[in-house]
């Protein structure tokens, strides 16, 4: 009887309260390393909206069976421009300050403009030179036959709020790190 109760509690926790994930790639390095294990909170956005800088776990728009983890860069209704390795929100002349990037951003770092639809978010990885993120997803949708051209496929560059599973809270392997205001802090 106690085993059945523990099983039901564990099932409830993993389906409604927490997300236990293993990171398969280096797309979020050095923030989250390949093979790190982390816990996310499914309830993070029940009563609040996702914020720029949050690291979230979500269904990949091109294939919703796949689960991705990336950082929120663009919020609903914003225009996000990528120019010369900088991110510019709406009409800003100053790029976002992104101290979490792994290295100098050289790959697909110019010539993008995203108009984030209402109810959606724009996601990028912290390891921009190696991250398959919103910059690639429209092209991936065309390759997968989900759209006939890039214009039809633009919607696949964004993640709807209802497709966000939760917010990454902390890693517990290989190191214990807690996420606070978009940055990882070690030693807790």
């Amino acid at each position: 009887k106690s085993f059945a109760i523990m099983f039901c509690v564990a099932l409830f926790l993993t389906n409604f309260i927490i997300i236990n994930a293993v990171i398969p790639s280096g797309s979020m390095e050095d923030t989250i390393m390949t093979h790190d294990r982390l816990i996310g909170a499914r309830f993070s956005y029940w009563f609040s909206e996702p914020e720029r800088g949050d690291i979230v776990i979500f269904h990949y728009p091109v294939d919703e069976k796949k689960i991705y983890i990336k950082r929120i860069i663009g919020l609903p209704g914003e225009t996000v421009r990528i120019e010369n390795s900088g991110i510019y929100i709406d009409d800003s002349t100053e790029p976002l300050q992104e101290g979490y990037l792994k290295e100098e951003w050289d790959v697909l770092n110019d010539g993008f403009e995203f108009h984030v639809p209402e109810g959606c978010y724009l996601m990028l990885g912290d390891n921009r030179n190696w991250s398959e993120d919103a910059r690639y997803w429209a092209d991936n949708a065309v390759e997968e036959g989900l759209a006939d051209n890039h214009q039809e496929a633009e919607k696949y560059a964004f993640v709807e709020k209802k497709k966000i599973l939760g917010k990454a809270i902390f890693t517990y392997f290989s190191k214990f790190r807690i996420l606070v205001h978009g940055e990882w802090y070690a030693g807790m």
Side-chain angles (χ1 to χ4, degrees):
K1 186 175 180 178
S2 63
F3 176 77
I5 291 170
M6 288 188 312
F7 178 77
C8 289
V9 167
L11 195 60
F12 174 78
L13 288 174
T14 56
N15 283 305
F16 298 103
I17 305 299
I18 66 168
I19 302 166
N20 186 7
V22 177
I23 306 307
S25 75
S27 72
M28 288 298 293
E29 290 181 0
D30 283 337
T31 307
I32 305 172
M33 303 305 287
T34 305
H35 305 300
D36 274 359
R37 295 174 188 267
L38 67 82
I39 296 293
R42 292 183 185 271
F43 55 84
S44 291
Y45 303 122
W46 288 356
F47 305 107
S48 66
E49 295 299 314
E51 297 178 7
R52 186 179 345 275
D54 288 354
I55 297 172
V56 295
I57 303 156
F58 57 92
H59 291 282
Y60 171 46
V62 178
D63 181 356
E64 292 189 2
K65 293 179 205 140
K66 294 180 180 177
I67 305 299
Y68 274 29
I69 184 166
K70 304 285 180 206
R71 187 180 297 272
I72 294 176
I73 299 298
L75 302 176
E78 292 182 336
T79 297
V80 178
R81 294 182 334 275
I82 299 175
E83 296 176 4
N84 297 322
S85 302
I87 303 251
Y88 298 86
I89 306 297
D90 293 330
D91 297 323
S92 175
T93 57
E94 293 295 319
L96 280 180
Q97 296 301 308
E98 297 187 285
Y100 44 77
L101 295 183
K102 178 178 177 156
E103 59 195 6
E104 187 175 327
W105 181 11
D106 297 323
V107 177
L108 291 177
N109 64 355
D110 192 41
F112 288 88
E113 184 169 290
F114 297 96
H115 301 283
V116 185
E118 290 300 327
C120 294
Y121 296 85
L122 179 76
M123 313 290 189
L124 296 177
D126 288 359
N127 188 0
R128 302 271 162 82
N129 294 325
W130 295 98
S131 178
E132 183 182 300
D133 50 37
R135 298 168 294 160
Y136 295 89
W137 297 345
D139 290 337
N140 292 353
V142 171
E143 288 174 15
E144 294 293 323
L146 299 173
D148 292 330
N149 56 54
H150 188 77
Q151 186 176 3
E152 283 182 17
E154 284 179 356
K155 66 182 179 184
Y156 291 98
F158 308 104
V159 176
E160 296 176 63
K161 182 181 178 188
K162 65 184 179 182
K163 303 297 182 180
I164 296 175
L165 298 173
K167 179 179 177 181
I169 303 299
F170 64 88
T171 62
Y172 62 91
F173 178 86
S174 63
K175 292 181 181 177
F176 185 81
R177 290 172 283 193
I178 296 178
L179 178 67
V180 179
H181 303 295
E183 298 291 335
W184 285 105
Y185 290 93
M188 297 192 131

